[in-house]
């Protein structure tokens, strides 16, 4: 791993943070690592010493139960759902429609929401197995806050974050880590 040591290294886990010039990377790598590790109830930290190098330390808890056997689809065939309901939260109507069509074709029930506010109203009324949400959402409720509130409303629901931003997308707001209200 190569990590540029600079005064902004404390931002290394923020989505879309990068020390690279525009068009040369999104910065999503370490935020993905951070998300995986913290969802696994672990810890991650970066230690950098100029002239010595950088260490990224991942501490993960020991598994307390045996791993479930992997789901293996027939060659060339995607795993299919059994009617579980997936809530798709995406502010771009075209992207939302495309995702909904693909998910539905895989055998899942689909409910669509154009943002976190609508998603929370749906979650208060209808059970879902999965909240499939864009990472960056407009408005006062961040995707992280949506996930926290979704889990409070439906503790058994899983949350999957996605992002469709291309490498030439830049952002100056940190909507992922903004403080929860």
């Amino acid at each position: 791993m190569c990590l540029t040591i600079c005064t902004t290294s404390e931002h290394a886990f923020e989505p879309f943070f990068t020390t690279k010039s525009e068009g040369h990377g999104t910065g999503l790598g370490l935020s993905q690592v951070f998300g995986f590790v913290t969802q696994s109830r672990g810890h991650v930290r970066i230690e950098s010493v100029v002239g010595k190098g950088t260490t990224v330390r991942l501490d993960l808890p020991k598994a307390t139960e045996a791993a479930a056997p992997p789901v293996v689809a027939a060659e060339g065939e995607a795993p299919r759902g059994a009617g579980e309901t997936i809530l798709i939260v995406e502010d771009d109507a075209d992207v939302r429609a495309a995702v909904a069509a693909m998910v539905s074709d895989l055998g899942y029930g689909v409910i669509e929401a154009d943002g976190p506010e609508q998603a929370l109203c749906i979650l208060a009324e209808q059970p879902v197995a999965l909240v499939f949400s864009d990472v960056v959402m407009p408005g006062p409720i961040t995707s992280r806050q949506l996930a926290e509130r979704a889990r409070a409303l439906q503790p058994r629901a899983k949350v999957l974050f996605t992002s469709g931003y291309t490498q030439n997308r830049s952002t100056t707001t940190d909507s992922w880590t903004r403080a929860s209200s």
Side-chain angles (χ1 to χ4, degrees):
M1 167 185 272
C2 177
L3 180 69
T4 302
I5 300 172
C6 61
T7 59
T8 55
S9 64
E10 66 271 10
H11 299 289
F13 292 116
E14 295 175 5
F16 307 111
F17 173 79
T18 182
T19 57
K20 299 174 185 175
S21 60
E22 189 170 332
H24 291 90
T26 62
L28 283 174
L30 288 176
S31 68
Q32 296 283 334
V33 169
F34 179 82
F36 168 78
V37 171
T38 55
Q39 286 178 7
S40 300
R41 293 184 173 81
H43 304 282
V44 59
R45 71 174 181 250
I46 298 176
E47 299 166 352
S48 294
V49 178
V50 176
K52 298 276 186 178
T54 300
T55 300
V56 178
R57 182 179 171 129
L58 306 177
D59 295 313
L60 297 169
K62 181 179 177 182
T64 58
E65 52 191 62
V71 175
V72 179
E75 190 173 318
E77 185 179 317
R80 303 211 35 94
E84 299 94 333
T85 301
I86 297 179
L87 173 59
I88 298 169
V89 187
E90 169 59 59
D91 58 306
D92 183 303
D94 292 334
V95 173
R96 189 173 61 250
V99 171
M102 288 185 267
V103 169
S104 179
D105 286 348
L106 290 172
Y108 296 95
V110 173
I111 303 172
E112 298 178 41
D114 63 8
E117 295 87 353
Q118 186 180 23
L120 290 170
C121 290
I122 292 167
L123 288 164
E125 307 251 334
Q126 294 182 259
V128 301
L130 175 71
V131 177
F132 185 108
S133 177
D134 190 1
V135 172
V136 179
M137 296 299 258
I141 302 173
T142 68
S143 57
R144 178 181 235 168
Q145 290 168 330
L146 170 61
E148 291 167 354
R149 293 178 189 179
R151 295 300 303 267
L153 288 167
Q154 297 193 30
R156 296 181 62 130
K158 304 292 184 199
V159 178
L160 174 65
F161 291 116
T162 64
S163 180
Y165 285 111
T166 60
Q167 64 183 5
N168 64 357
R169 166 74 162 90
S170 64
T171 184
T172 56
T173 54
D174 180 18
S175 62
W176 175 259
T177 58
R178 218 169 36 221
S180 299
S181 55

CSV table of all heavy atoms in Angstrom, one decimal, residues 80-81 86 88 98-110:
chain,number,residue,atom,x,y,z
A,80,ARG,N,-30.6,-16.4,-7.1
A,80,ARG,CA,-31.9,-15.8,-7.2
A,80,ARG,C,-32.5,-15.6,-5.9
A,80,ARG,O,-32.3,-16.4,-5.0
A,80,ARG,CB,-32.8,-16.7,-8.1
A,80,ARG,CG,-32.2,-16.9,-9.5
A,80,ARG,CD,-33.1,-17.1,-10.6
A,80,ARG,NE,-34.4,-16.5,-10.6
A,80,ARG,CZ,-34.6,-15.3,-11.2
A,80,ARG,NH1,-33.6,-14.7,-11.8
A,80,ARG,NH2,-35.8,-14.7,-11.2
A,81,GLY,N,-33.3,-14.6,-5.8
A,81,GLY,CA,-34.0,-14.3,-4.5
A,81,GLY,C,-35.3,-15.2,-4.4
A,81,GLY,O,-35.7,-15.9,-5.4
A,86,ILE,N,-36.6,-5.8,-1.2
A,86,ILE,CA,-35.4,-4.9,-1.1
A,86,ILE,C,-35.9,-3.5,-1.4
A,86,ILE,O,-36.6,-3.2,-2.3
A,86,ILE,CB,-34.4,-5.3,-2.2
A,86,ILE,CG1,-33.8,-6.7,-1.9
A,86,ILE,CG2,-33.2,-4.3,-2.2
A,86,ILE,CD1,-32.8,-7.2,-2.9
A,88,ILE,N,-34.9,0.1,-2.5
A,88,ILE,CA,-33.9,0.7,-3.2
A,88,ILE,C,-34.0,2.2,-3.0
A,88,ILE,O,-35.0,2.8,-3.3
A,88,ILE,CB,-34.0,0.4,-4.7
A,88,ILE,CG1,-33.8,-1.1,-4.9
A,88,ILE,CG2,-33.0,1.2,-5.5
A,88,ILE,CD1,-34.1,-1.6,-6.3
A,98,ALA,N,-33.3,1.4,-13.2
A,98,ALA,CA,-32.4,0.4,-13.7
A,98,ALA,C,-32.1,-0.7,-12.6
A,98,ALA,O,-32.2,-1.9,-12.9
A,98,ALA,CB,-31.2,1.0,-14.3
A,99,VAL,N,-31.8,-0.2,-11.5
A,99,VAL,CA,-31.5,-1.1,-10.3
A,99,VAL,C,-32.7,-1.9,-10.0
A,99,VAL,O,-32.7,-3.1,-9.8
A,99,VAL,CB,-30.9,-0.3,-9.1
A,99,VAL,CG1,-30.8,-1.2,-7.9
A,99,VAL,CG2,-29.6,0.3,-9.5
A,100,ALA,N,-33.9,-1.2,-9.9
A,100,ALA,CA,-35.1,-1.9,-9.5
A,100,ALA,C,-35.4,-3.0,-10.5
A,100,ALA,O,-35.8,-4.1,-10.1
A,100,ALA,CB,-36.3,-0.9,-9.5
A,101,ALA,N,-35.2,-2.8,-11.8
A,101,ALA,CA,-35.5,-3.8,-12.8
A,101,ALA,C,-34.6,-5.0,-12.7
A,101,ALA,O,-35.0,-6.1,-12.7
A,101,ALA,CB,-35.4,-3.2,-14.2
A,102,MET,N,-33.3,-4.7,-12.5
A,102,MET,CA,-32.3,-5.8,-12.3
A,102,MET,C,-32.6,-6.6,-11.0
A,102,MET,O,-32.6,-7.9,-11.1
A,102,MET,CB,-30.9,-5.3,-12.2
A,102,MET,CG,-30.4,-4.8,-13.6
A,102,MET,SD,-28.6,-4.3,-13.5
A,102,MET,CE,-28.8,-2.5,-13.1
A,103,VAL,N,-32.9,-6.0,-9.9
A,103,VAL,CA,-33.2,-6.7,-8.7
A,103,VAL,C,-34.4,-7.5,-8.8
A,103,VAL,O,-34.5,-8.6,-8.4
A,103,VAL,CB,-33.2,-5.7,-7.5
A,103,VAL,CG1,-33.8,-6.3,-6.3
A,103,VAL,CG2,-31.8,-5.1,-7.3
A,104,SER,N,-35.4,-6.9,-9.4
A,104,SER,CA,-36.7,-7.6,-9.6
A,104,SER,C,-36.5,-8.9,-10.5
A,104,SER,O,-37.1,-9.9,-10.2
A,104,SER,CB,-37.7,-6.7,-10.3
A,104,SER,OG,-38.9,-7.4,-10.5
A,105,ASP,N,-35.7,-8.7,-11.6
A,105,ASP,CA,-35.4,-9.9,-12.4
A,105,ASP,C,-34.7,-11.0,-11.7
A,105,ASP,O,-34.7,-12.2,-12.2
A,105,ASP,CB,-34.5,-9.4,-13.6
A,105,ASP,CG,-35.3,-8.6,-14.7
A,105,ASP,OD1,-36.6,-8.6,-14.6
A,105,ASP,OD2,-34.6,-8.0,-15.5
A,106,LEU,N,-34.1,-10.7,-10.6
A,106,LEU,CA,-33.4,-11.7,-9.8
A,106,LEU,C,-34.3,-12.4,-8.8
A,106,LEU,O,-33.9,-13.2,-8.0
A,106,LEU,CB,-32.2,-11.1,-9.1
A,106,LEU,CG,-31.0,-10.8,-10.0
A,106,LEU,CD1,-29.9,-10.0,-9.2
A,106,LEU,CD2,-30.4,-12.0,-10.7
A,107,GLY,N,-35.6,-12.1,-8.8
A,107,GLY,CA,-36.6,-12.7,-8.0
A,107,GLY,C,-36.8,-12.0,-6.6
A,107,GLY,O,-37.4,-12.6,-5.7
A,108,TYR,N,-36.5,-10.8,-6.5
A,108,TYR,CA,-36.7,-10.1,-5.3
A,108,TYR,C,-37.9,-9.1,-5.5
A,108,TYR,O,-38.1,-8.6,-6.5
A,108,TYR,CB,-35.5,-9.2,-4.9
A,108,TYR,CG,-34.3,-10.1,-4.5
A,108,TYR,CD1,-33.3,-10.3,-5.5
A,108,TYR,CD2,-34.1,-10.6,-3.3
A,108,TYR,CE1,-32.2,-11.1,-5.2
A,108,TYR,CE2,-33.0,-11.4,-3.0
A,108,TYR,CZ,-32.1,-11.7,-4.0
A,108,TYR,OH,-31.0,-12.5,-3.7
A,109,GLY,N,-38.6,-8.9,-4.4
A,109,GLY,CA,-39.6,-7.8,-4.4
A,109,GLY,C,-38.9,-6.5,-4.2
A,109,GLY,O,-37.9,-6.4,-3.6
A,110,VAL,N,-39.4,-5.4,-4.9
A,110,VAL,CA,-38.8,-4.1,-4.9
A,110,VAL,C,-39.7,-3.1,-4.4
A,110,VAL,O,-40.9,-3.0,-4.8
A,110,VAL,CB,-38.2,-3.8,-6.3
A,110,VAL,CG1,-37.7,-2.4,-6.4
A,110,VAL,CG2,-37.2,-4.8,-6.7
